[in-house]
Amino acid sequence: MTAPRTPRKAFGRLSLPERNYVAEALRTETVGGVLLLIAAVAALVWANIPALSDSYESVSHFHFGPEALGLDLSVAHWAADGLLAIFFFVAGIELKRELVAGDLKDPKAAALPVVAALCGMAVPALVYTVTATAGGGSLAGWAVPTATDIAFALAVLAVIGTSLPSALRAFLLTLAVVDDLFAILIIAVFFTDSLNFAALGGAVVGLAVFWLLLRKNVRGWYVYVPLALVIWGLMYNSGIHATIAGVAMGLMLRCHTREGEQHSPGQHIEHLVRPLSAGLAVPLFALFSAGVAISGGALGDVFTKPETLGVVLGLVAGKTLGIFGGTWLTARFTRASLSDELEWADVFAVAALAGIGFTVSLLIGELAFEGDTAMTGQVKAAVLTGSLIAALLATVLLKVRNAKYRRMTEAEERDEDLSGIPDIYEEDDPAYHLRMAAILEKKAAEHRRLAQEKTQERHGLAEVTGGAGDEGDRPA
């Protein structure tokens, strides 16, 4: 007879390599998220101070680039199509790594974040569609509330100081990776009006050369960077959004290690490029995309126009209910069960945090209402409003559980044997217990020594006190 299979714990403890990878990735994303917040606030201030608003428009719409190559673009356009290609390049590497070495490698483990991400995109789109239809609005913005901004979400975590357990952080990161993948597919399928097949063919040839060079183990940034720029330019001119070139090249990198390698090429390049993406590319995109004019009337319109109300409700209610519902359904109808240390309230809080849809939502908003400047600005205001509400809701929910999170994080980080590896990963290692025995024996010996000293001091004090009493009893 075969032994009964034990249920797999959802949000259970990560393996040590996965935990270290998540910690490093999220550390960079958190710093980038704080810069993203600063850039967004700077854009709003720049665009709404009367003395500066004209300069914001002038800088955003300033054109430069080789016109003969079809690349005479505005600063805002360069930020959206050029800098975000770096962001999607990193997203492509993350996705490849998850597929070959992370949670998405195991279909059973992948089911949870994939279903949660799909529900977290379908429900916001449905909420927007119902809201816009009921109000007689345009359905063009259905995809705007479908994206999660992981950097912004982690920046919120950094600001409120929540010690979110590594399992929930990994879920949030994996969720965002899958979310990015489907956002890329949405951009490629639904926001490509016409194709230039000559340019597209050239981009495909360039990608084939890129792949061949990788397989031949050709080294050198001076080979790949110029080739990447050519591929990007051809992809832009093909009519497909240029960021697709970034994710395609990211997916081609090898993300599994071979014998003698400490890190795979994908991990090495991601380590080099991620700070550029999180610290420069995404904040600059935010600087030239988040600058919308905000007034009392404009904020009021967010809740009265069907398109903007659909975006807000999609981000706040749709994302939360979609991700939470998808996670619950996966746990309900599979062998996955919630980790003993967590409650469904924790999943709901993370689902609310995923309602922060900033970078990709702003990009899709620009694509969905291209040519309609007024509506584009209103949708951007709706994205900002919805993301802010989602951030506040998640903050309240996470603060309620913050003390429990802090205890869980402290347990994850404890390293009493000073081996450099958290103790929870060494509980099955005999050497760990021998080290702990030696440490405890040393402490016990020290305590015995101190006990002996204190006992001797007490006896000495008693003798002195007794002697003083005898002396005092003598007659004068």
Side-chain angles (χ1 to χ4, degrees):
M1 292 179 63
T2 58
R5 289 181 297 175
T6 56
R8 184 177 57 81
K9 291 292 184 183
F11 306 105
R13 184 191 304 167
L14 303 176
S15 66
L16 185 59
E18 185 73 8
R19 175 186 176 276
N20 292 338
Y21 168 79
V22 168
E24 181 183 354
L26 295 183
R27 193 178 301 115
T28 306
E29 291 288 357
T30 300
V31 174
V34 174
L35 294 175
L36 179 62
L37 281 172
I38 294 171
V41 172
L44 290 171
V45 171
W46 191 0
N48 286 277
I49 294 179
L52 300 176
S53 58
D54 289 342
S55 65
Y56 181 82
E57 290 295 322
S58 299
V59 173
S60 296
H61 294 102
F62 177 77
H63 279 65
F64 68 96
E67 188 174 356
L69 299 178
L71 297 175
D72 183 21
L73 311 178
S74 66
V75 170
H77 209 162
W78 276 110
D81 286 84
L83 292 177
L84 276 196
I86 302 173
F87 167 80
F88 279 108
F89 175 70
V90 174
I93 300 175
E94 288 177 339
L95 178 61
K96 180 67 173 291
R97 188 201 161 277
E98 289 293 332
L99 288 169
V100 301
D103 285 344
L104 301 182
K105 180 181 180 180
D106 178 8
K108 293 180 181 178
L112 186 69
V114 169
V115 172
L118 284 172
C119 292
M121 299 186 82
V123 175
L126 181 62
V127 168
Y128 176 93
T129 302
V130 171
T131 306
T133 302
S138 170
L139 298 180
W142 65 270
V144 175
T146 59
T148 292
D149 192 312
I150 183 64
F152 217 135
L154 292 171
V156 172
L157 285 178
V159 170
I160 65 176
T162 300
S163 302
L164 201 64
S166 59
L168 284 176
R169 286 178 176 262
F171 172 71
L172 185 62
L173 179 62
T174 307
L175 186 79
V177 169
V178 179
D179 189 287
D180 285 341
L181 169 65
F182 288 106
I184 290 161
L185 293 175
I186 287 173
I187 291 171
V189 174
F190 295 100
F191 297 101
T192 300
D193 296 326
S194 59
L195 290 175
N196 181 330
F197 288 100
L200 181 59
V204 171
V205 171
L207 288 171
V209 172
F210 189 88
W211 179 85
L212 186 61
L213 291 173
L214 289 173
R215 292 300 168 273
K216 295 295 184 181
N217 293 319
V218 175
R219 307 275 180 168
W221 64 267
Y222 46 84
V223 174
Y224 291 101
V225 172
L227 178 59
L229 291 174
V230 171
I231 294 170
W232 176 86
L234 289 168
M235 189 69 75
Y236 175 83
N237 281 286
S238 73
I240 296 177
H241 200 269
T243 53
I244 304 300
V247 75
M249 287 183 279
L251 285 169
M252 289 181 180
L253 292 174
R254 178 167 59 83
C255 291
H256 62 273
T257 55
R258 292 174 178 170
E259 188 176 353
E261 288 183 340
Q262 187 174 3
H263 301 289
S264 68
Q267 286 176 290
H268 176 66
I269 293 172
E270 181 188 4
H271 180 74
L272 294 175
V273 179
R274 185 186 286 277
L276 178 63
S277 168
L280 181 67
V282 175
L284 280 178
F285 167 76
L287 182 65
F288 294 107
S289 292
V292 294
I294 294 179
S295 62
L299 290 176
D301 288 343
V302 166
F303 297 98
T304 57
K305 290 183 177 294
E307 295 89 350
T308 51
L309 180 61
V311 170
V312 173
L313 292 178
L315 288 172
V316 178
K319 271 287 183 184
T320 305
L321 296 177
I323 292 172
F324 180 82
T327 305
W328 184 86
L329 287 171
T330 305
R332 173 69 177 80
F333 294 105
T334 68
R335 287 183 170 270
S337 63
L338 198 64
S339 174
D340 296 333
E341 298 176 318
L342 299 172
E343 298 176 6
W344 283 108
D346 302 310
V347 182
F348 190 84
V350 171
L353 188 65
I356 301 174
F358 190 76
T359 305
V360 182
S361 289
L362 290 175
L363 175 62
I364 294 177
E366 292 179 355
L367 297 173
F369 297 100
E370 191 172 8
D372 189 342
T373 306
M375 182 56 73
T376 300
Q378 291 167 357
V379 167
K380 286 183 178 181
V383 170
L384 295 174
T385 303
S387 297
L388 178 60
I389 295 172
L392 293 174
L393 174 62
T395 298
V396 172
L397 294 173
L398 291 169
K399 278 293 185 182
V400 171
R401 298 276 291 166
N402 200 34
K404 177 69 177 288
Y405 295 151
R406 193 177 295 115
R407 289 194 296 270
M408 292 175 65
T409 304
E410 288 172 358
E412 289 180 355
E413 298 292 337
R414 189 177 296 119
D415 182 20
E416 292 185 354
D417 66 334
L418 305 177
S419 66
I421 299 174
D423 293 341
I424 58 174
Y425 292 98
E426 297 185 301
E427 292 171 348
D428 296 329
D429 185 0
Y432 160 74
H433 293 285
L434 291 174
R435 286 195 299 271
M436 286 303 302
I439 291 170
L440 294 175
E441 286 167 1
K442 185 177 180 181
K443 287 183 177 179
E446 179 66 15
H447 283 293
R448 281 192 288 268
R449 184 186 65 79
L450 290 172
Q452 187 175 7
E453 286 182 0
K454 298 301 179 185
T455 301
Q456 291 174 350
E457 288 176 3
R458 284 187 178 183
H459 285 315
L461 182 61
E463 290 175 2
V464 171
T465 304
D470 293 340
E471 184 72 24
D473 289 340
R474 293 177 182 176

